[in-house]
Amino acid sequence: GREAHIIRLRYGLDDQAPLTQREIASLCGISRSLYPAALIVNDARKAFAEQGFPGIEYFEAKARRI
């Protein structure tokens, strides 16, 4: 869905460089406040844990480098 797409863009999960919230908002035609990052990250943490993946902290650190 849309949230999954935003997560992939934010953390560069599709072999792309991670994008900022501003870049994602511009690309998707939404306001930055429409999908608060904290809610998306919490949903991602739950999904990662349910699938047995290590924490999303790796991707958060990757995104902070941009």
Side-chain angles (χ1 to χ4, degrees):
R2 187 179 218 176
E3 291 175 343
H5 178 66
I6 291 170
I7 290 170
R8 287 194 306 272
L9 292 172
R10 179 68 181 123
Y11 297 107
L13 299 180
D14 291 329
D15 295 326
Q16 299 178 15
L19 300 179
T20 65
Q21 287 180 311
R22 180 169 283 136
E23 290 169 329
I24 293 168
S26 176
L27 182 67
C28 294
I30 59 174
S31 73
R32 289 189 323 160
S33 63
L34 184 59
Y35 286 100
L39 295 178
I40 293 173
V41 169
N42 285 337
D43 288 347
R45 279 193 178 110
K46 289 177 190 173
F48 273 59
E50 290 170 3
Q51 296 297 319
F53 290 107
I56 195 169
E57 288 77 14
Y58 166 80
F59 300 108
E60 290 174 329
K62 182 178 174 183
R64 276 201 268 325
R65 284 184 248 149
I66 61 168

